Amino acid sequence: MTSVGEHSRTGRPLGLAGVAWRGLRRRPLRTALTWLGLVNAVASFLLLIGSSRGVEEGWQRWNRERGGHLMAVRKGAIEILSASLNASLVGELAATPGVEAAAGELIDLVFLDEGPQAVVRGWEPGSFLWSTLAFRAGQPPGDGWEAAVGEGLAAALGVDVGGTVHLPGRGLRVVGIVRGGGAMSGNLLLVPLARLQELMERPGKLSIITLRVQNPSPARVAAVQAAIAREFPALRVDTTEQVASNDHVLQFFRASTWAVALIAVVGGTLMILNTLLMAVTERTAELAVLMAIGWPARRIVALVLAESGALLGLAVPSGVVLGGVGLRWLAARPPLLGLMEPHLSAGLLAATCVAAVTMGLVGAALPAWRATRVDPAGALHQG
């Protein structure tokens, strides 16, 4: 909002957007502080929702790359790392009609003696899972105290084929470097299943079993899933896309991040409301003049919404950049290192835009209503 009849430097009357922009410039400190608050709100929303989705995407990408169709875990397990299955179930599930192959694995999240965190997985030599990996150098480990290491982890440790990595209590000779396709692949440590069972003191135990289905059409996968659920009532059988979304720890993480993200949106909404409400209050006489010369209520509302849009137009790009940088930083820090895909997906950007529009509309609603309630005669008389 600005003085009635104010013109641009070229002498032409300002349009609605120009009037809104000029109004924000008249209170530069207030506008700057609101901008900073909105940048923080947008970045916080993107960072929180992005971290939740990034962890789920990390699991889903890893599962897709392994070429499995179904995954079996103990029913009632809070999350995969704490789950425990008998290794004998691999053979029983492989014999189920419609199952092409079954592969068990033991999974843990550990801090290596060298410092970095790593997802360590134990696979049986000869498992079909090994064929899904691309090795930059070396080969899969055999039955001994050997390991294959993801490219990212190898770079962080400064090791190559022939080097050594140290799990708590045991050194492992690196025999292969796995080409990283995602966060989990890059921060991977693969060891023979029997060796990891020994290190974790979990002989004969697995965390999860991956299944390949013969002729895997959606209907065929669903039929095999239902058959296994009937035959093995103690197991929860999910498709590879369902595993992450059904994990209870990830569900709690998702709910927590959404709750905090909504707090950030509420904070941003209140900042917009405060700034615009003060602007309306300070310029009551100006609004009265505009209404007296024929501005309809809808144009007054449009003016307030234009100021809200201008504030968000300044804040959203900066907030997206800051949130994207924060995602990459967070993905490189424990406990999310190797678990989270830090990219800005189209869905994440769309959710951020929806949150920004919500802040703008809700934050401008009361100031816009207040502006249309100005009594021209009374305001001009008081002025």
Side-chain angles (χ1 to χ4, degrees):
M1 300 167 196
T2 187
S3 299
V4 178
E6 192 165 8
H7 291 62
S8 67
R9 292 181 181 179
T10 63
R12 299 176 62 185
L14 289 171
L16 190 65
V19 173
W21 175 240
R22 186 67 61 87
L24 293 176
R25 290 179 60 190
R26 290 177 63 180
R27 297 292 185 272
L29 181 58
R30 182 191 301 164
T31 299
L33 291 176
T34 305
W35 172 79
L36 286 173
L38 291 175
V39 168
N40 180 69
V42 171
S44 297
F45 180 89
L46 188 147
L47 180 61
L48 289 162
I49 303 305
S51 62
S52 173
R53 292 189 177 183
V55 172
E56 291 189 33
E57 175 59 27
W59 279 102
Q60 290 174 349
R61 179 173 180 175
W62 169 265
N63 292 336
R64 287 193 299 267
E65 290 174 348
R66 303 291 69 78
H69 306 110
L70 296 171
M71 306 192 82
V73 67
R74 180 175 58 83
K75 186 178 291 186
I78 297 299
E79 47 84 33
I80 291 174
L81 297 184
S82 66
S84 184
L85 297 171
N86 290 326
S88 59
L89 282 170
V90 174
E92 296 178 41
L93 289 171
T96 302
V99 174
E100 180 182 294
E105 61 179 314
L106 187 61
I107 313 171
D108 200 8
L109 190 63
V110 300
F111 282 97
L112 306 179
D113 288 353
E114 291 84 354
Q117 174 183 279
V119 178
V120 57
R121 295 173 178 264
W123 291 354
E124 190 74 42
S127 164
F128 72 80
L129 295 172
W130 293 105
S131 65
T132 66
L133 299 176
F135 281 82
R136 188 197 72 193
Q139 61 189 13
D143 292 325
W145 293 99
E146 300 175 340
V149 182
E151 281 185 316
L153 181 60
L157 297 174
V159 300
D160 208 331
V161 174
T164 303
V165 295
H166 295 87
L167 287 172
R170 185 75 196 197
L172 302 171
R173 186 169 64 90
V174 177
V175 296
I177 304 297
V178 177
R179 195 177 303 280
M184 285 196 173
S185 298
N187 200 56
L188 179 68
L189 181 61
L190 283 168
V191 300
L193 176 60
R195 302 286 79 79
L196 186 58
Q197 289 172 333
E198 182 177 341
L199 286 172
M200 294 177 62
E201 299 181 347
R202 295 177 64 182
K205 297 297 181 181
L206 303 170
S207 301
I208 198 166
I209 299 173
T210 301
L211 307 170
R212 281 183 171 174
V213 176
Q214 299 169 354
N215 304 316
S217 66
R220 179 70 168 168
V221 170
V224 173
Q225 182 180 16
I228 293 175
R230 289 192 302 268
E231 186 69 22
F232 300 89
L235 297 180
R236 190 187 81 217
V237 184
D238 298 322
T239 66
T240 52
E241 297 297 325
Q242 292 172 333
V243 171
S245 58
N246 288 341
D247 187 279
H248 293 294
V249 170
L250 289 184
Q251 288 175 352
F252 176 78
F253 181 45
R254 188 188 314 125
S256 299
T257 54
W258 268 106
V260 180
L262 290 177
I263 292 173
V265 170
V266 170
T269 301
L270 292 176
M271 285 180 235
I272 292 177
L273 187 151
N274 178 68
T275 298
L276 297 182
L277 196 58
M278 291 181 70
V280 168
T281 302
E282 290 172 353
R283 290 171 244 177
T284 301
E286 182 180 330
L287 287 171
V289 172
L290 291 174
M291 296 177 74
I293 64 175
W295 275 41
R298 65 177 180 273
R299 195 171 185 189
I300 297 295
V301 170
L303 181 59
V304 177
L305 291 176
E307 287 203 11
S308 174
L311 284 168
L312 287 170
L314 292 171
V316 170
S318 301
V320 168
V321 171
L322 182 61
V325 171
L327 273 178
R328 291 190 173 277
W329 178 85
L330 189 62
R333 310 297 303 174
L336 296 180
L337 179 63
L339 298 177
M340 173 181 147
E341 295 290 337
H343 63 276
L344 298 178
S345 66
L348 177 57
L349 292 176
T352 303
C353 289
V354 170
V357 171
T358 300
M359 286 191 290
L361 292 177
V362 176
L366 178 59
W369 177 83
R370 182 81 174 271
T372 62
R373 305 300 294 177
V374 171
D375 176 23
L380 292 174
H381 177 73
Q382 292 178 4

